[in-house]
Amino acid sequence: MTGTQGTARVVTRRTVVAAAGATGLAAALVACGGSGTPAESAAGEPAKPDDGADGGTGPADALAKTTEIPEGGGMVFADQGVVVTQPTAGEFKAFSSKCTHAGCAVKDISDGVIHCPCHGSQFSVADGSVKAGPATRPLPATPIKVTGDSITLA
């Protein structure tokens, strides 16, 4: 009788568990990875990095243009954990967007006041001080840099 005999391969439980773990890790890394496309702006439009080609003066990692921050108001940048305000014309300040009362993220700014939606705390756009509780501590200042018309984290 002629024929070919194959060699038997023994697969241990350890090999199967290791392979399953490696597959799960690879899937998690792919799911957490970036898509390679720019993020969307708050308006739902693709964000456009400022590479200077359109005449902008700011770097690609700018939080905002100075013209986007309303005087007496501000903008919350949830992904960066910061709120940028313009208390008076040309004066820009930044604070943590995490309320000092219970750690909720502040949501909006109006009439010179930063509002926390969780328990109603209010903070000044000028210095982050408490205007109304239950918070008792001011929002911590966050360093920013204004270069030309661009605002970036310092």
Side-chain angles (χ1 to χ4, degrees):
M1 178 160 107
T2 62
T4 58
Q5 287 185 339
T7 57
R9 207 176 235 186
V10 177
V11 179
T12 65
R13 180 180 298 158
R14 180 177 293 169
T15 303
V16 172
V17 170
T23 302
L25 177 62
L29 290 174
V30 169
C32 293
S35 65
T37 60
E40 287 190 357
S41 69
E45 299 171 2
K48 297 175 187 168
D50 186 1
D51 59 5
D54 64 353
T57 60
D61 60 348
L63 288 172
K65 300 280 188 193
T66 56
T67 55
E68 296 173 328
I69 309 297
E71 186 178 342
M75 290 177 70
V76 177
F77 298 90
D79 290 344
Q80 291 81 10
V82 67
V83 56
V84 177
T85 65
Q86 184 178 189
T88 60
E91 177 188 19
F92 297 92
K93 303 276 186 152
F95 308 99
S96 169
S97 64
K98 185 177 178 180
C99 179
T100 57
H101 170 244
C104 296
V106 298
K107 292 290 182 192
D108 64 281
I109 300 103
S110 62
D111 301 321
V113 177
I114 302 166
H115 301 273
C116 179
C118 292
H119 301 108
S121 291
Q122 299 178 356
F123 304 91
S124 169
V125 297
D127 58 9
S129 63
V130 177
K131 300 208 35 109
T136 58
R137 291 174 290 133
L139 293 175
T142 299
I144 56 170
K145 183 177 176 183
V146 179
T147 306
D149 66 348
S150 292
I151 302 169
T152 57
L153 292 173

